[in-house]
Amino acid sequence: MRTQVIVVNGGSSAGKSGIIRCVQAVLPDPWLALGTDTLVGALPPALRASDGGIAFAPDGEVTVGAGFRTLEAAWIEGVAAMARAGARIVVDEVFLGGTRSQRRWEKALSGLGVLWVGVRCDAAVAADREVARGDRTPGMAASQAELVHRGVSYDVEVDTTHTEAMDCARSIAARVT
Amino acid sequence: MRTQVIVVNGGSSAGKSGIIRCVQAVLPDPWLALGTDTLVGALPPALRASDGGIAFAPDGEVTVGAGFRTLEAAWIEGVAAMARAGARIVVDEVFLGGTRSQRRWEKALSGLGVLWVGVRCDAAVAADREVARGDRTPGMAASQAELVHRGVSYDVEVDTTHTEAMDCARSIAARVT
Amino acid sequence: MRTQVIVVNGGSSAGKSGIIRCVQAVLPDPWLALGTDTLVGALPPALRASDGGIAFAPDGEVTVGAGFRTLEAAWIEGVAAMARAGARIVVDEVFLGGTRSQRRWEKALSGLGVLWVGVRCDAAVAADREVARGDRTPGMAASQAELVHRGVSYDVEVDTTHTEAMDCARSIAARVT
Amino acid sequence: MRTQVIVVNGGSSAGKSGIIRCVQAVLPDPWLALGTDTLVGALPPALRASDGGIAFAPDGEVTVGAGFRTLEAAWIEGVAAMARAGARIVVDEVFLGGTRSQRRWEKALSGLGVLWVGVRCDAAVAADREVARGDRTPGMAASQAELVHRGVSYDVEVDTTHTEAMDCARSIAARVT
């Protein structure tokens, strides 16, 4: 079955976005890159930091309210509809809910050709890269490194601890049909 | 009928994004803001500047290739599906094709409660604001100021030449049901 | 005397940066634009949010620690030295200390041709524009609108409440010798 | 002698900025980070793409005009003056002129405690990272990888090909007195 959606899951500062830009560069067809950051950027500023929305605590923990969950469910439906309408899409995700997060996507993408990709990175290395980036809430990398992979199953796993983004992208692209 | 989608159309530097952030702040429900910039940001970098993609000429003219049109059609379907799944959405658009652009959205949004909004701005004023912003290709504001409104019909029109973004947003919000 | 430095002072969201980009576009010589944002961007991330650094409270109040003051004094000396070495410079400033802030710059710039510019904006209008921008801590515009002008004297004053950035820039440029 | 300025030289996408943010995080004193990007960001938009300014060709080559050289000379004097006034500064540089670029800084910083740092990265790896970043003109990484080190001498050299930014930063910090 033709791959229509690539879902890339990993913690903050694991290197997902860089890998996805390389995947877009390496694959011959045009793929759209959408993800959690797109959705958060689309929220009303007030919801980005409120009880009903998504909040980034000073220690890097992320909490997500009911208002956000409702919009997220509709967002996921919409991304699935784009794929059904013919766009090939790479989804940049952070499965804060582990298995439950994957279930949500799985259900929405049913009938579509999906490639599930896990991006791992040693927690200490990711935490150092978070410092090097300088634009993330310190602590997110460490708190998400293991959490987001709990109970999630993948078709391909890459690890950026010792592998460059482009090489990870090539491993992923090789599995796209 | 309940408003489910607000489509905001206007030229570059007319002030659409500022109005949309004010609309999100003024309306009691959470509305997602999505638009042309979201789509362009999701494209593979190579498509942003190629024959098949979207190109920004040195004089500010924007051309759009067939590869982009295909992805755009799927994008529009997906945004409509998000609205059908319950998200309320403000769409930030630049109708480079005038009537034809509106038709495309109209067809995809059929059955949904849509509020059509035109954002106008005197071409010379928009061109000056483009200089003040400093991050746009010079010439886009002037070349799009009239073009994007040709043959397009609206429920509400606002003009940022002499009206603040927040006041425009209040006029729009007053029409949301 | 030839104008070597233009110091532009005003509160957050009053429209200083837009005016300064227009001043750079209107004046025939190349002018460098430097300011508080440049300095804050150069700080170690830890100092941007600590007791010894600069902090942005949830209500928009800005507090500045001793560690910041020391670096700021050296920064001001350096900007003055650039002007003495022949660069023409527009300084984008927020005089949180009113008269005292102006004294600091006055002392460092002694012997240079300086044009002092005040950028005013009605507090309520600036607060609305802060919402439209969406990337500033809400409350800064209102809390700084009057504060930064206390006891400060100017060669030119502009008011963005009803005047476009480009028109303000032209008034300023007309005073450059 | 106490280190007052750390000059970090390397090609585009070699990883200088990440290393510098780690250096700022690792060193106990506050250090200001300034560099070529700060200067380019301060230029009038027109000069960023003109004969007298700095231009980024489609193939990634960077050319620098006479107007830029004049402002750059004043900028270097000013950064040196900041260090003399007591700020400790990390300079993020791209020595497009090799030896000549280093001479310019050496002359301006005379009498100050300077640590010269070279950041190397394998050209092919840097080119891949340029793709992963997605916001740089393709080709800059490859064209600058060797060029910027020609005839330049260092106190410390780090190589990001196989070493993390934080580890490079620790090697540099260990040499700061």
Side-chain angles (χ1 to χ4, degrees):
Chain A
M1 185 179 197
R2 190 174 184 249
T3 311
Q4 291 160 290
V5 180
I6 307 173
V7 180
V8 179
N9 175 47
S12 183
S13 290
K16 294 184 305 297
S17 305
I19 290 174
I20 289 174
R21 279 187 287 266
C22 289
V23 165
Q24 289 183 300
V26 159
L27 290 171
D29 277 358
W31 287 71
L32 288 183
L34 296 168
T36 309
D37 286 354
T38 322
L39 175 58
V40 170
L43 291 177
L47 207 64
R48 276 180 228 159
S50 82
D51 284 358
I54 188 162
F56 302 89
D59 68 350
E61 215 196 327
V62 179
T63 52
V64 155
F68 179 76
R69 279 288 171 238
T70 307
L71 292 174
E72 192 195 24
W75 162 261
I76 293 175
E77 285 302 323
V79 172
M82 286 176 206
R84 286 197 184 94
R88 306 185 84 178
I89 301 175
V90 201
V91 177
D92 189 337
E93 259 290 346
V94 186
F95 285 173
L96 293 176
T99 315
R100 274 177 304 126
S101 303
Q102 188 171 32
R103 288 286 166 278
R104 266 195 289 269
W105 276 99
E106 222 162 28
K107 212 177 139 188
L109 300 174
S110 85
L112 290 162
V114 182
L115 185 75
W116 299 93
V117 178
V119 177
R120 294 184 181 271
C121 180
D122 175 84
V125 169
D128 280 350
R129 289 182 188 165
E130 188 174 65
V131 173
R133 295 172 70 169
D135 59 350
R136 290 303 186 282
T137 311
M140 285 177 74
S143 76
Q144 298 179 359
E146 295 301 321
L147 184 74
V148 300
H149 298 292
R150 280 193 199 147
V152 180
S153 52
Y154 300 111
D155 298 305
V156 197
E157 290 186 61
V158 294
D159 190 319
T160 65
T161 314
H162 301 294
T163 312
E164 293 288 314
M166 182 60 87
D167 296 325
C168 295
R170 293 213 174 93
S171 306
I172 297 164
R175 299 291 302 272
V176 170
T177 51
Chain B
M1 184 178 196
R2 188 174 184 249
T3 310
Q4 290 159 290
V5 180
I6 307 173
V7 180
V8 179
N9 174 47
S12 183
S13 290
K16 294 183 307 295
S17 304
I19 290 174
I20 289 174
R21 278 186 288 265
C22 290
V23 165
Q24 289 182 298
V26 159
L27 289 171
D29 278 358
W31 287 70
L32 288 182
L34 296 168
T36 309
D37 286 353
T38 322
L39 175 58
V40 170
L43 291 177
L47 207 63
R48 278 181 225 158
S50 81
D51 285 357
I54 188 161
F56 302 90
D59 68 350
E61 213 196 329
V62 179
T63 52
V64 155
F68 180 77
R69 279 288 171 241
T70 306
L71 292 174
E72 192 194 25
W75 162 260
I76 292 174
E77 285 304 321
V79 172
M82 287 178 205
R84 288 199 181 92
R88 307 186 84 178
I89 301 174
V90 200
V91 176
D92 189 336
E93 259 290 348
V94 185
F95 285 173
L96 293 175
T99 316
R100 273 177 305 126
S101 302
Q102 188 171 31
R103 287 287 166 278
R104 266 195 289 270
W105 276 99
E106 221 163 28
K107 211 177 140 189
L109 300 174
S110 86
L112 290 162
V114 182
L115 185 75
W116 298 93
V117 178
V119 176
R120 294 182 181 273
C121 180
D122 175 86
V125 170
D128 280 351
R129 290 182 187 166
E130 188 174 66
V131 174
R133 295 172 71 169
D135 59 351
R136 291 302 186 282
T137 310
M140 285 177 73
S143 77
Q144 299 179 357
E146 295 301 322
L147 184 74
V148 300
H149 298 292
R150 278 191 203 148
V152 180
S153 53
Y154 300 110
D155 298 305
V156 197
E157 289 185 62
V158 294
D159 189 319
T160 65
T161 314
H162 300 294
T163 312
E164 293 287 314
M166 183 59 89
D167 296 325
C168 295
R170 293 212 173 92
S171 306
I172 296 164
R175 299 291 302 274
V176 170
T177 51
Chain C
M1 185 180 193
R2 191 176 183 245
T3 310
Q4 291 159 289
V5 181
I6 307 174
V7 180
V8 179
N9 175 48
S12 183
S13 290
K16 296 183 304 296
S17 304
I19 291 175
I20 289 174
R21 278 187 287 265
C22 290
V23 164
Q24 287 183 300
V26 160
L27 289 172
D29 277 355
W31 288 70
L32 289 182
L34 296 169
T36 309
D37 286 353
T38 321
L39 175 58
V40 170
L43 290 177
L47 206 64
R48 278 181 226 160
S50 81
D51 285 358
I54 188 161
F56 302 89
D59 67 350
E61 213 196 328
V62 179
T63 52
V64 155
F68 180 75
R69 279 290 171 237
T70 306
L71 291 174
E72 192 195 24
W75 162 262
I76 293 174
E77 286 301 323
V79 172
M82 285 176 206
R84 286 199 183 92
R88 306 185 85 177
I89 301 173
V90 201
V91 176
D92 189 336
E93 259 290 347
V94 185
F95 285 172
L96 293 175
T99 315
R100 273 177 306 126
S101 302
Q102 189 172 33
R103 287 287 167 279
R104 267 196 288 269
W105 276 100
E106 220 163 30
K107 211 177 140 188
L109 300 174
S110 84
L112 291 162
V114 182
L115 185 75
W116 298 93
V117 177
V119 176
R120 294 182 181 273
C121 180
D122 176 85
V125 170
D128 281 350
R129 291 182 187 167
E130 187 174 66
V131 173
R133 294 171 70 170
D135 60 349
R136 291 302 187 282
T137 310
M140 285 178 71
S143 77
Q144 298 178 359
E146 295 300 322
L147 185 75
V148 301
H149 298 291
R150 279 193 203 147
V152 179
S153 52
Y154 299 111
D155 298 306
V156 196
E157 289 186 61
V158 294
D159 190 319
T160 65
T161 314
H162 301 295
T163 312
E164 293 288 315
M166 184 59 89
D167 296 326
C168 295
R170 292 212 174 93
S171 305
I172 297 164
R175 298 291 303 273
V176 170
T177 51
Chain D
M1 185 178 194
R2 190 175 184 247
T3 310
Q4 291 160 290
V5 180
I6 307 173
V7 179
V8 179
N9 175 48
S12 183
S13 290
K16 295 183 306 295
S17 304
I19 290 175
I20 289 174
R21 280 187 286 265
C22 290
V23 165
Q24 287 183 301
V26 160
L27 290 172
D29 278 356
W31 287 71
L32 289 182
L34 297 169
T36 309
D37 286 353
T38 322
L39 174 58
V40 170
L43 290 178
L47 206 63
R48 277 180 226 159
S50 81
D51 285 357
I54 188 161
F56 301 89
D59 67 349
E61 213 196 328
V62 179
T63 52
V64 154
F68 179 77
R69 279 287 171 240
T70 306
L71 291 173
E72 191 195 25
W75 162 261
I76 293 175
E77 286 300 322
V79 172
M82 285 176 206
R84 287 199 182 93
R88 306 185 85 177
I89 300 173
V90 200
V91 176
D92 189 336
E93 260 290 347
V94 186
F95 286 173
L96 292 175
T99 317
R100 273 176 305 126
S101 303
Q102 187 172 32
R103 288 284 166 281
R104 268 196 288 269
W105 276 100
E106 220 163 29
K107 211 177 141 189
L109 299 174
S110 83
L112 290 162
V114 182
L115 185 75
W116 298 93
V117 178
V119 177
R120 294 183 181 273
C121 181
D122 176 85
V125 170
D128 281 350
R129 291 183 187 165
E130 188 174 66
V131 173
R133 296 172 70 170
D135 60 349
R136 291 302 186 283
T137 310
M140 285 177 73
S143 77
Q144 298 178 359
E146 295 300 321
L147 184 76
V148 301
H149 298 292
R150 280 194 200 147
V152 179
S153 52
Y154 300 111
D155 298 306
V156 197
E157 288 185 63
V158 294
D159 190 319
T160 65
T161 313
H162 301 293
T163 313
E164 293 287 314
M166 183 59 89
D167 295 326
C168 295
R170 291 211 174 95
S171 305
I172 297 165
R175 299 292 303 273
V176 170
T177 52

